[in-house]
Amino acid sequence: DAGVTQSPTHLIKTRGQQVTLRCSPKSGHDTVSWYQQALGQGPQFIFQYYEEEERQRGNFPDRFSGHQFPNYSSELNVNALLLGDSALYLCASSPRPTGELFFGEGSRLTVL
Amino acid sequence: EDQVTQSPEALRLQEGESSSLNCSYTVSGLRGLFWYRQDPGKGPEFLFTLYSAGEEKEKERLKATLTKKESFLHITAPKPEDSATYLCAVQANNAGNMLTFGGGTRLMVKP
């Protein structure tokens, strides 16, 4: 049973560029959440997707947007990248919007 | 606003030297308190969920406990493979399954 899978694992971008990160949830899970983890800090909630709609959003600017597809997979898009966007981006899936979270290995984004 | 504070930030133990990690929290109605283990460059790995004060859960050398204001992760006779960052997070009643994390405790166990 595959767990949560994320791609790419690592990527390097320059300031002002745009990035798209992808996530496939654990089998049987329909809810996907995204978290940002800066080096040495705990993860911070970005948003949650359920039934192809954004259901909850943390304190992140509109440059951060997402999408959920009918097969429950999800994308995180970040526009106009800043140096401060450098972080590990974690995807977590759950069997329902209030269920237990299972995390993927993350996508490490470096902005130069 | 929900808040989680973990202490100490870093902890160095000798193999076999038992200790405890602290997680203090404030939350508007606790649905659950979660402990995760995170290895460098990896995603958090679920350890425990605690739902009410007085609850305890154990897994191998780890035991988690919960009061109304804090949680402890007790590590008994740790081994070098227990070295990792341990994250505590709270989930509020009115917040779906959103987790608010603390900053973590970096544990290093030396042989």
Side-chain angles (χ1 to χ4, degrees):
Chain A
D1 176 26
V4 179
T5 57
Q6 294 187 241
S7 64
T9 54
H10 297 85
L11 68 168
I12 300 173
K13 294 284 187 178
T14 56
R15 282 178 297 174
Q17 285 189 312
Q18 179 263 344
V19 67
T20 297
L21 308 178
R22 295 175 176 82
C23 172
S24 292
K26 185 177 169 66
S27 178
H29 289 189
D30 60 7
T31 305
V32 173
S33 301
W34 288 91
Y35 287 76
Q36 180 195 65
Q37 186 176 25
L39 200 61
Q41 298 182 23
Q44 283 196 297
F45 175 74
I46 303 175
F47 42 52
Q48 180 198 70
Y49 275 84
Y50 172 66
E51 292 186 335
E52 301 180 49
E53 288 189 14
E54 184 183 293
R55 300 292 179 167
Q56 284 182 282
R57 189 179 183 91
N59 189 24
F60 279 80
D62 291 346
R63 298 187 298 109
F64 289 77
S65 63
H67 189 78
Q68 186 179 36
F69 299 93
N71 66 352
Y72 309 125
S73 67
S74 177
E75 288 182 350
L76 165 65
N77 300 292
V78 187
N79 294 322
L81 285 167
L82 304 174
L83 295 179
D85 295 331
S86 295
L88 181 68
Y89 287 85
L90 295 163
C91 174
S93 73
S94 56
R96 56 193 178 280
T98 57
E100 203 163 85
L101 290 175
F102 293 81
F103 285 86
E105 298 290 6
S107 293
R108 169 72 63 187
L109 170 65
T110 302
V111 182
L112 302 177
Chain B
E1 183 179 329
D2 303 336
Q3 284 194 314
V4 179
T5 303
Q6 292 188 245
S7 61
E9 290 186 4
L11 181 62
R12 301 176 77 169
L13 300 174
Q14 288 296 131
E15 184 172 2
E17 180 187 1
S18 301
S19 188
S20 295
L21 281 54
N22 177 264
C23 171
S24 297
Y25 65 90
T26 55
V27 63
S28 52
L30 179 72
R31 173 181 290 158
L33 184 139
F34 296 76
W35 283 98
Y36 287 85
R37 168 190 171 128
Q38 186 174 31
D39 292 306
K42 303 289 187 180
E45 175 189 348
F46 171 78
L47 293 174
F48 304 109
T49 308
L50 302 167
Y51 294 102
S52 57
E55 189 175 0
E56 299 183 352
K57 288 194 176 173
E58 288 189 64
K59 179 180 180 179
E60 296 181 357
R61 295 177 292 283
L62 300 176
K63 183 168 89 171
T65 62
L66 180 65
T67 72
K68 289 187 177 179
K69 292 183 179 180
E70 57 191 350
S71 176
F72 292 93
L73 185 64
H74 307 278
I75 304 177
T76 302
K79 299 181 177 182
E81 54 261 42
D82 295 323
S83 297
T85 294
Y86 290 85
L87 295 166
C88 171
V90 296
Q91 190 177 79
N93 281 328
N94 61 351
N97 67 358
M98 182 186 81
L99 294 178
T100 300
F101 282 87
T105 294
R106 295 186 305 281
L107 174 66
M108 179 181 294
V109 182
K110 291 195 162 186

